[in-house]
Amino acid sequence: MGKVAAKIKVMPDSPDIDLDALQERLESALPEGAKINGVERDEVAFGLVALYPTVIVPDGSGGTETVEESFADVEGVESVGVENVGRI
């Protein structure tokens, strides 16, 4: 069974949020078998910075849906969306 890499856009609910703490909460929220393989940051507008973690999940685990749901439940997250998905 292969693995899937997904780049996920995580928008914080405020430009004042501590991005390092948010990144730690995202890592803690990952479902079993998933791992973050790097996080990019991109300024969106007016000081708001989006996080783009690249998440590796097993191919047979239902894709990225469980990761998206886990990230959406994290405190300080406004929205979650998959930007790019590929098999590795």
Side-chain angles (χ1 to χ4, degrees):
M1 186 181 313
K3 294 185 178 187
V4 174
K7 186 174 186 179
I8 300 176
K9 181 179 183 179
V10 178
M11 290 296 298
D13 60 8
S14 165
D16 301 324
I17 196 160
D18 180 352
L19 294 176
D20 293 328
L22 178 58
Q23 185 173 328
E24 288 177 17
R25 290 195 297 272
L26 292 173
E27 291 173 4
S28 298
L30 282 172
E32 188 174 330
K35 69 176 187 172
I36 292 179
N37 189 29
V39 178
E40 297 175 21
R41 296 180 183 193
D42 187 31
E43 187 168 337
V44 179
F46 307 109
L48 187 62
V49 178
L51 296 178
Y52 289 89
T54 299
V55 180
I56 310 295
V57 294
D59 194 13
S61 69
T64 62
E65 190 172 313
T66 55
V67 174
E68 292 174 69
E69 292 170 356
S70 297
F71 282 0
D73 291 338
V74 171
E75 179 187 345
V77 172
E78 176 69 28
S79 66
V80 175
V82 175
E83 292 287 305
N84 195 348
V85 177
R87 293 186 71 177
I88 54 172

